[in-house]
Amino acid sequence: CVLRKIAERTPLQRLLEHLLRSMEKRDPQQFFAWPVTDNIAPGYSQIITNPMDFSTIKQKIDDGNYQNLNEFINDFKLMCSNATTYNHQDTIYYKAAKKLLHVGLKMVTPEKLRQLRSVLT
Ligand SMILES: COc1ccc(OC)c(-c2cc(C(C)=O)n3cccnc23)c1
């Protein structure tokens, strides 16, 4: 029989999956869960050249695409800045992105990472 190769997780993948789950919890309306389409956001693909969303980040974690925490954080920041670029300040999406960025970056302070390291390793 063919031995099923279980998806072994590297320590980095385990850290990134934990952070992703925590960040997704702060997006209950799931505005950042999936790629933004031109249908729901007219002209989006013309304005935003590097789209990013949580599902794409998840796929990149699973594919072992992130070499380190900073590459993951950069995609998180890109996702939030796309929303503050496309949406006007007085929209729920702009405000949600500002809050999400703030909360997400607080999760990756040196102190938070130290606490996590003891839990995850
Ligand atoms: C109203 O319900 C949804 C559902 C999913 C969305 O994006 C995945 C969005 C959404 C998410 C965004 C963002 C993130 O810019 N957006 C911008 C304009 C119009 N809609 C959106 C809204």
Side-chain angles (χ1 to χ4, degrees), residues 26 38 56-57 83 114:
R26 311 307 293 259
D38 285 342
T56 303
I57 291 175
R114 196 189 56 72

PDB file of all heavy atoms in Angstrom, residues 26 38 56-57 83 114:
ATOM      1  N   ARG A  26     -10.275  38.241  13.847  1.00  0.00           N
ATOM      2  CA  ARG A  26     -10.540  39.678  13.950  1.00  0.00           C
ATOM      3  C   ARG A  26     -11.191  40.230  12.691  1.00  0.00           C
ATOM      4  O   ARG A  26     -11.342  41.430  12.558  1.00  0.00           O
ATOM      5  CB  ARG A  26      -9.235  40.414  14.271  1.00  0.00           C
ATOM      6  CG  ARG A  26      -8.447  39.823  15.413  1.00  0.00           C
ATOM      7  CD  ARG A  26      -9.261  39.652  16.703  1.00  0.00           C
ATOM      8  NE  ARG A  26      -9.648  40.902  17.282  1.00  0.00           N
ATOM      9  CZ  ARG A  26      -9.032  41.460  18.328  1.00  0.00           C
ATOM     10  NH1 ARG A  26      -7.989  40.839  18.873  1.00  0.00           N
ATOM     11  NH2 ARG A  26      -9.460  42.603  18.816  1.00  0.00           N
ATOM     12  N   ASP A  38     -13.728  42.225  -9.041  1.00  0.00           N
ATOM     13  CA  ASP A  38     -14.200  43.454  -9.692  1.00  0.00           C
ATOM     14  C   ASP A  38     -15.724  43.551  -9.617  1.00  0.00           C
ATOM     15  O   ASP A  38     -16.290  44.638  -9.700  1.00  0.00           O
ATOM     16  CB  ASP A  38     -13.736  43.493 -11.157  1.00  0.00           C
ATOM     17  CG  ASP A  38     -12.245  43.829 -11.271  1.00  0.00           C
ATOM     18  OD1 ASP A  38     -11.680  44.355 -10.276  1.00  0.00           O
ATOM     19  OD2 ASP A  38     -11.645  43.568 -12.322  1.00  0.00           O
ATOM     20  N   THR A  56      -5.315  33.292   0.305  1.00  0.00           N
ATOM     21  CA  THR A  56      -4.050  33.223  -0.442  1.00  0.00           C
ATOM     22  C   THR A  56      -2.880  33.040   0.513  1.00  0.00           C
ATOM     23  O   THR A  56      -1.966  32.247   0.260  1.00  0.00           O
ATOM     24  CB  THR A  56      -3.871  34.488  -1.294  1.00  0.00           C
ATOM     25  OG1 THR A  56      -5.000  34.623  -2.161  1.00  0.00           O
ATOM     26  CG2 THR A  56      -2.594  34.438  -2.127  1.00  0.00           C
ATOM     27  N   ILE A  57      -2.937  33.738   1.652  1.00  0.00           N
ATOM     28  CA  ILE A  57      -1.890  33.585   2.676  1.00  0.00           C
ATOM     29  C   ILE A  57      -1.880  32.148   3.188  1.00  0.00           C
ATOM     30  O   ILE A  57      -0.825  31.514   3.313  1.00  0.00           O
ATOM     31  CB  ILE A  57      -2.096  34.603   3.823  1.00  0.00           C
ATOM     32  CG1 ILE A  57      -1.820  36.037   3.326  1.00  0.00           C
ATOM     33  CG2 ILE A  57      -1.204  34.259   5.012  1.00  0.00           C
ATOM     34  CD1 ILE A  57      -2.122  37.131   4.345  1.00  0.00           C
ATOM     35  N   ALA A  83      -6.567  47.579   1.023  1.00  0.00           N
ATOM     36  CA  ALA A  83      -7.910  48.018   1.414  1.00  0.00           C
ATOM     37  C   ALA A  83      -7.946  49.512   1.717  1.00  0.00           C
ATOM     38  O   ALA A  83      -8.935  50.188   1.419  1.00  0.00           O
ATOM     39  CB  ALA A  83      -8.387  47.219   2.625  1.00  0.00           C
ATOM     40  N   ARG A 114       7.731  35.699  21.921  1.00  0.00           N
ATOM     41  CA  ARG A 114       8.420  34.934  22.971  1.00  0.00           C
ATOM     42  C   ARG A 114       7.422  34.024  23.676  1.00  0.00           C
ATOM     43  O   ARG A 114       7.667  32.831  23.859  1.00  0.00           O
ATOM     44  CB  ARG A 114       9.069  35.894  23.979  1.00  0.00           C
ATOM     45  CG  ARG A 114      10.124  35.288  24.894  1.00  0.00           C
ATOM     46  CD  ARG A 114      10.552  36.265  25.993  1.00  0.00           C
ATOM     47  NE  ARG A 114       9.398  36.723  26.770  1.00  0.00           N
ATOM     48  CZ  ARG A 114       8.736  35.952  27.630  1.00  0.00           C
ATOM     49  NH1 ARG A 114       9.101  34.696  27.798  1.00  0.00           N
ATOM     50  NH2 ARG A 114       7.691  36.408  28.302  1.00  0.00           N
TER      51      ARG A 114
END
